[in-house]
């Protein structure tokens, strides 16, 4: 149009007019003239009837300034060479932006779409802002591309929102978003953080399979419906997350924090070994390298309905978990291990018993033994005291016992006894008893230690018997008799054994070794040897008949604890 024709066309427009500008190229000035022609005189707000802008091109940043669309708006295949500002717009009917490309920043802040929203394969090259936007019916973002940061903070999707195949190249923020109907994040890719803090999922939530190269924030989110979350992510934060129905979290690569999460129904967290697929295609997992799924914290959660499968619990903080004895562990899971090899505590060599331990014990021991192989608490974290950790070990031991996993329960019994031994709230007599129990047999769990002490006791008994326990010679019985008429009275006397007096080396003879060995072997099985012994030997035999069977029993108990199922 020439200037006169364009002026006549614009003069013929008024608020609420239907607009058909398919394929039109707009400069900023021309677009502002169009808005002026459609403004309501009393409010200054542009009012469109049915607006069609398919394949239109807008040069520069265009602002719809709270415009009202009375019968839907169509921007399919439209190109915005600058920004597109739709703040506070109201669209009665469907809003279509399929395959639209916006090279500058896009803002739908406080926009209200009273029909469906179509952003299928739309491309946002700048920041995309949907702060407190509202869509009354289904919002479709299938295969859209967000090349910079995107914000859906406080947005409300009354008819649900679908994001299958969407690529979020910058940080995406759904904090406080409300999904009143189905929410679908299938094959969705997040190259930065994906934040769903305080979001609400009310019906038919399907989160994943998706990939998040950094942190997937679900803290304080509320899931009012059963949900399956399938995510390959670096970190998954579920602090104070609320699940009002069953939930299954299937994860790859992720470190998950469940601190103070709340649920009333079964919740499972499982490590997945193979990539997620959708149809015949595998979901891409760029930037993710550590294959483990690590649980970082269960503090404050109720473990009665929690099932963990195939996860790494090496760094998990258990202190403060409710009903920890009802936690279910399945698949191949791992706990932190005590340091291996020989370490030095000052000038004292220290060797730790290999066993499953809690991360909290690592933190406590690292605070006492620097450079000892124990992992220190993370920055800003506190190391709990043994009196606080003993109940944690006790509850985990019960969990393993209830699942008939006796070898696993044995490790946590050892940890419980260690914490009791080091606790500062027990009487000295109990501590002395625990120290003795630990030194002799590792609380009845270290067969090698008990057998070592048994061997030492047997050797000590053998040597002391050879040196002092056996008499110099076996006493010979002497019989005397009296004959009076036809009566014969006989008296047999056995002299007291005589302490050996020969030189030390002569006492270590083969004969004395054989006699001492009989005493030792009979003592182990709590039997008397029936040999003549000196007074010293009698007391040695009594001591060995008490100590050696006890040590043998501790060794048998330790072996049974490792092989019992």
């Amino acid at each position: 149009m020439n200037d006169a024709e364009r002026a006549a066309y614009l003069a013929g427009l008024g608020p609420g007019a239907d607009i058909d500008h398919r394929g039109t190229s707009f400069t900023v000035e021309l677009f502002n003239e169009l808005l002026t022609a459609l403004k309501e005189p009393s409010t200054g707000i542009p009012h469109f009837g049915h607006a069609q802008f398919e394949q239109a091109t807008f040069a520069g940043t265009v602002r719809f300034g709270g415009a009202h669309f009375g019968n839907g708006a169509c921007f399919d295949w439209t190109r915005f060479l600058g920004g597109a500002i739709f703040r506070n717009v109201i669209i009665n009917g469907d809003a279509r932006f399929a395959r639209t490309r916006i090279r500058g920043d896009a803002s739908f802040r406080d926009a209200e779409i009273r029909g469906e929203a179509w952003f299928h394969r739309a491309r946002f090259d700048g920041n995309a802002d949907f702060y407190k936007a509202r869509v009354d019916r289904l919002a479709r973002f299938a295969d859209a591309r967000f090349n910079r940061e995107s914000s859906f903070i406080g947005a409300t999707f009354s008819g649900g929102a679908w994001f299958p195949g969407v690529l979020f190249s910058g940080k995406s923020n759904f904090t406080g978003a409300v999904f009143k109907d189905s929410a679908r994040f299938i094959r969705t890719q997040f190259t930065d953080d994906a934040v769903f803090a305080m979001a609400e999922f009310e019906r038919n939530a399907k989160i994943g399979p998706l990939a998040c190269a950094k942190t997937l924030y679900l803290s304080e989110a509320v899931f009012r419906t059963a949900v399956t979350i399938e995510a390959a992510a670096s970190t998954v934060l579920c602090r104070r997350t609320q699940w009002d129905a069953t939930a299954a979290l299937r994860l790859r690569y992720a470190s998950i924090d469940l601190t103070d999460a709340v649920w009333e129904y079964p919740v499972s967290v499982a490590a997945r070994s193979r990539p997620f697929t959708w149809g015949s295609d595998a979901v891409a997992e760029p930037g993710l390298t550590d294959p483990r799924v690590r649980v970082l914290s269960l503090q404050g959660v109720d473990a009665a309905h929690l099932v963990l499968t195939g996860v790494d619990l090496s760094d998990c903080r258990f202190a403060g978990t409710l009903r920890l004895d009802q936690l279910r562990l399945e698949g191949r899971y791992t706990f932190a291990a005590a340091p291996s090899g020989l370490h030095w505590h000052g000038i004292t060599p220290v060797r730790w018993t290999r066993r499953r331990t809690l991360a909290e014990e690592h933190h406590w021991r690292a605070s006492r033994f620097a450079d000892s192989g124990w992992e220190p608490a993370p920055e800003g974290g506190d190391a709990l005291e043994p009196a606080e950790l003993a109940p944690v070990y006790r509850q985990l031991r019960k969990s393993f016992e209830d699942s008939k996993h006796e070898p696993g329960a044995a490790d946590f019994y050892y940890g419980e006894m260690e914490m009791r031994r080091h606790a500062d709230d027990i009487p000295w007599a109990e501590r002395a008893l625990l120290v003795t129990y630990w030194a002799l047999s590792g609380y009845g769990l270290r067969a090698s230690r008990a057998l070592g002490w048994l061997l030492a006791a047997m050797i000590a008994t053998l040597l002391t018997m050879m040196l002092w326990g056996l008499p110099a010679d076996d006493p010979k019985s002497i019989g005397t008799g009296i004959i009076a008429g036809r009566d014969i009275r006989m008296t047999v006397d056995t002299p007291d054994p005589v302490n050996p007096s020969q030189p030390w080396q002569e006492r270590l003879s083969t004969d004395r070794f054989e006699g001492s060995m009989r005493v030792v072997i009979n003592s182990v099985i709590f039997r008397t040897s029936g040999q003549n012994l000196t007074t010293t030997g009698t007391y040695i035999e009594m001591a060995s008949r008490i100590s050696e069977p006890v040590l043998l029993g501790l060794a048998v108990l330790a072996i049974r604890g490792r092989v019992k199922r």
Side-chain angles (χ1 to χ4, degrees), residues 361-416:
E361 182 180 349
H362 271 261
H363 303 161
W364 171 72
R365 290 192 185 272
S367 67
R368 298 180 70 243
F369 304 102
D371 301 324
S372 58
W374 297 93
E375 292 294 329
E379 185 176 355
D382 295 328
L384 300 180
E385 293 300 316
E388 301 173 275
L389 295 180
V392 181
Y393 271 113
R394 186 178 305 119
Q395 292 187 70
L396 280 172
R397 170 176 62 83
K398 185 176 183 301
S399 174
F400 275 72
E401 288 174 345
D402 291 344
S403 62
K404 307 303 180 184
H405 189 348
E406 295 295 337
D411 279 345
F412 291 105
Y413 174 72
Y414 192 101
E416 176 191 350

Side-chain angles (χ1 to χ4, degrees), residues 12 24 123 151 247 446 499 508:
T24 303
R123 180 168 175 176
S151 172
R446 298 296 179 258
N499 290 327
L508 302 176

Side-chain angles (χ1 to χ4, degrees), residues 271-547:
R272 184 181 173 95
S273 58
R274 286 184 279 184
F276 295 111
T277 58
W278 185 257
S280 58
D281 299 327
V283 176
E285 301 169 341
L288 300 172
T289 56
D290 190 344
R292 298 176 299 166
V293 173
R294 301 186 302 149
V295 179
L296 300 180
S297 175
L298 294 177
Q299 292 177 317
V301 309
D302 186 345
H305 299 292
L306 180 61
V307 181
L308 303 177
T309 304
V311 298
D312 188 332
L313 298 166
S314 301
D315 300 316
C316 185
R317 298 185 296 276
F318 288 95
T321 305
L322 305 177
R323 294 195 279 187
L324 185 57
D325 58 315
Q326 298 182 40
L327 174 68
R328 285 179 54 193
L329 297 174
E330 298 180 353
R332 186 174 182 177
Y333 49 84
T334 56
F335 283 86
S340 60
L342 189 66
H343 299 269
W344 292 89
H345 180 48
I347 60 173
T348 306
V350 178
R351 181 182 177 276
W352 308 105
T353 302
R354 193 72 175 170
R355 59 185 172 89
R356 295 181 180 93
T357 62
L358 299 183
E360 288 96 334
E361 182 180 349
H362 271 261
H363 303 161
W364 171 72
R365 290 192 185 272
S367 67
R368 298 180 70 243
F369 304 102
D371 301 324
S372 58
W374 297 93
E375 292 294 329
E379 185 176 355
D382 295 328
L384 300 180
E385 293 300 316
E388 301 173 275
L389 295 180
V392 181
Y393 271 113
R394 186 178 305 119
Q395 292 187 70
L396 280 172
R397 170 176 62 83
K398 185 176 183 301
S399 174
F400 275 72
E401 288 174 345
D402 291 344
S403 62
K404 307 303 180 184
H405 189 348
E406 295 295 337
D411 279 345
F412 291 105
Y413 174 72
Y414 192 101
E416 176 191 350
M417 299 298 285
E418 277 286 271
M419 295 302 100
R420 287 180 57 193
R421 180 167 69 92
H422 289 287
D424 55 7
D425 62 346
I426 63 172
W428 68 268
E430 181 180 347
R431 188 189 307 277
L433 181 62
L434 290 174
V435 169
T436 303
Y437 193 20
W438 163 76
L440 291 179
S441 65
Y443 310 112
L445 296 173
R446 298 296 179 258
S448 59
R449 193 176 305 180
L451 290 174
W453 280 109
L454 176 60
L455 180 61
M458 293 173 66
I459 293 173
T461 302
L462 180 67
L463 290 175
T464 54
M465 279 291 179
M466 292 176 69
L467 295 173
W468 300 289
L470 298 181
D473 294 299
D474 285 335
K476 304 237 187 305
S477 299
I478 301 174
T480 59
I482 300 174
I483 301 175
R486 294 183 178 181
D487 296 330
I488 300 176
R489 180 178 299 173
M490 299 292 295
T491 303
V492 179
D493 293 324
T494 302
D496 292 335
V498 178
N499 290 327
S501 59
Q502 61 265 46
W504 301 103
Q505 59 272 21
E506 293 183 11
R507 301 183 198 180
L508 302 176
S509 64
T510 302
D511 291 339
R512 293 177 68 83
F513 174 82
E514 182 181 350
S516 299
M517 182 60 71
R518 284 198 296 269
V519 175
V520 170
I521 293 175
N522 281 283
S523 295
V524 171
I525 59 177
F526 203 69
R527 290 177 56 188
T528 181
S529 62
Q531 292 199 146
N532 292 314
L533 302 174
T534 65
T535 302
T536 302
T538 301
Y539 285 108
I540 293 173
E541 184 184 40
M542 291 171 58
S544 64
R545 288 181 63 194
I546 294 174
S547 60

Side-chain angles (χ1 to χ4, degrees), residues 34-49:
L34 177 63
L35 289 185
T36 300
L38 297 172
K39 284 182 179 180
E40 184 72 40
S42 59
T43 61
I45 296 176
H47 281 256
F48 293 82

